[in-house]
């Protein structure tokens, strides 16, 4: 005669213990959206001069980084297919609204996509994005800036030096990041 099968460790008297995990699972599910976009920026070692940048915006204007000397410039590299990039967009808009002025510029560089794809994405996007969208369909800027993924954000100080960076999605409107940007603007 065979012995009855052993009960799994997850049962007590025939009842499952999954409910013991319910508070933990609920906490994780509530926190998950907040965990998607991180806060904080990483200082760039040695604060090197930012690489050259000369791209055309969706409205046809040529934007050159060297022409923005004297401003703090947030340069964000993104693509329409990149989920963290899409999540980050509303926080970039909030930062633009909060800091827009003579000492601040925000440039969102679409990497590797044609203008029609970018326009279609923006037309279907929930929030209106007012900051400049630059196009880099050949991804030359990615090579020049030695980027290894998307999204990437680089903060350029008033002297044209790369002082902070973020690899991966960020809440660019977080209090921590806004304070860093305001401090740079005040220098």
């Amino acid at each position: 005669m065979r012995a009855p099968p052993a009960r799994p460790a997850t049962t007590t008297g025939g009842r499952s213990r999954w409910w013991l995990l319910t508070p933990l699972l609920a906490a994780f599910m509530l926190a998950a959206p907040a965990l998607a976009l991180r806060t904080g920026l990483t200082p760039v070692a040695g604060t090197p001069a930012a690489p050259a940048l000369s791209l055309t915006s969706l409205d046809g204007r040529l934007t050159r980084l060297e022409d923005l000397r004297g401003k703090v410039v947030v340069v964000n590299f993104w693509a329409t297919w990149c989920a963290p990039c899409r999540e980050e967009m509303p926080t970039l808009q909030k930062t633009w609204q909060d800091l827009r002025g003579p000492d601040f510029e925000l440039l969102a560089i679409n990497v590797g996509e044609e203008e029609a794809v970018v326009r279609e994405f923006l037309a279907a996007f929930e929030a209106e994005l007012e900051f400049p969208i630059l196009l880099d369909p050949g991804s030359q800027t990615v090579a020049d800036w030695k980027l290894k993924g998307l999204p990437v954000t680089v903060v350029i100080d008033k002297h044209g030096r790369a002082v902070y960076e973020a690899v991966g999605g960020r809440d660019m409107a977080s209090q921590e990041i806004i304070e860093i940007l305001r401090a740079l603007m005040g220098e």
Side-chain angles (χ1 to χ4, degrees), residues 29-178:
M29 291 172 76
L30 289 173
L35 295 174
L37 289 178
R38 295 173 280 172
T39 60
L41 299 170
T42 304
V44 175
T47 62
L53 175 76
S54 181
L55 296 169
T56 303
S57 66
L58 277 175
D59 61 7
R61 284 188 262 183
L62 180 66
T63 300
R64 296 175 345 140
L65 188 58
E66 66 187 52
D67 295 340
L68 301 174
R69 260 311 135 83
K71 294 183 177 198
V72 172
V73 182
V74 172
V75 182
N76 177 265
F77 295 90
W78 68 284
T80 63
W81 50 261
C82 167
C85 300
R86 291 191 309 267
E87 263 187 274
E88 198 172 52
M89 286 292 179
T91 73
L92 289 168
Q93 177 61 32
K94 174 101 174 71
T95 300
W96 173 251
Q97 289 170 333
D98 290 351
L99 300 179
R100 184 179 186 175
D103 296 327
F104 180 77
E105 187 65 69
L106 191 152
L107 306 173
I109 300 172
N110 177 271
V111 176
E113 297 178 296
E114 297 298 323
E115 181 177 343
V117 172
V118 175
R119 286 190 183 282
E120 183 178 328
F121 168 80
L122 293 173
F125 199 70
E126 299 141 13
E128 182 180 352
L129 304 176
E130 300 168 334
F131 49 84
I133 305 285
L134 307 180
L135 301 172
D136 184 19
S139 301
Q140 184 58 49
T141 307
V142 170
D144 295 345
W145 286 56
K146 297 177 177 53
L147 303 181
K148 303 231 186 302
L150 292 177
V152 171
T153 301
V154 180
V155 178
I156 312 300
D157 71 6
K158 291 180 175 186
H159 306 288
R161 299 175 302 207
V163 291
Y164 289 99
E165 67 182 349
V167 177
R170 291 291 185 280
D171 177 355
M172 292 302 295
S174 73
Q175 189 64 34
E176 180 182 352
I177 292 175
I178 295 296

